[in-house]
Amino acid sequence: MRAIRVASAALLGVGALALTAPSAAAYGQGDITPFGFSVLPFTIAAGGQVTLRVNRDDGECKGPATVTSAVFDPVTIPPRRSTATAVVDWDAKPGAVYQVTFACDGSSGSTSLTIAGGRPEPTHHPLPPHGVHAGEGGTVAGFDLEEIGLGTVLIVGSVGAAYHLSRRRSGEDGA
């Protein structure tokens, strides 16, 4: 029993570690830098707004951070802030992957930003051209004598059994 508990705990720990690994790897995608950086979301529609983040907790990026890309205007994150926003150009090509470069205190690193492709989903759902088919209606459709007969036998049998058992018990109580 103890082996099962230990194995379960070990499996749970490995699962938790596996689930957190992709987010840690995504935080500083691209080149290795002394500071962490990210672009959220990783996929955005043309004209959308992305959040640019620089990790200032480790103290490796003390000055202003400059973020550049071909898909938005250059953005500067001031020394006392860790995030800024940028608006993706409306003429960004759907399905294209653009490089986003972060530079701070002489170090730079880059990650990718994907532009969502396809048509945007409509915000309303159009009505169907005709009503919903709700069945045949009436008692004629699906008329099956076998099913009706079987149902009748089951109902009559259960009522008969209940009557028989109730009559038998009342006789025992009176005796």
Side-chain angles (χ1 to χ4, degrees), residues 30-59:
D31 302 336
I32 296 175
T33 60
F35 60 93
F37 54 88
S38 65
V39 176
L40 294 174
F42 299 116
T43 303
I44 189 81
Q49 185 174 354
V50 292
T51 301
L52 310 168
R53 176 177 294 276
V54 174
N55 186 5
R56 297 202 185 265
D57 295 336
D58 54 14

Side-chain angles (χ1 to χ4, degrees), residues 104-141:
C104 183
D105 296 340
S107 297
S108 67
S110 63
T111 187
S112 58
L113 175 66
T114 305
I115 306 302
R119 290 183 355 185
E121 291 292 322
T123 56
H124 70 284
H125 300 288
L127 295 174
H130 52 78
V132 177
H133 183 70
E136 301 298 326
T139 58
V140 176

Side-chain angles (χ1 to χ4, degrees), residues 65-80:
T66 304
V67 186
T68 56
S69 178
V71 75
F72 55 79
D73 294 332
V75 175
T76 300
I77 303 173
R80 296 190 184 266

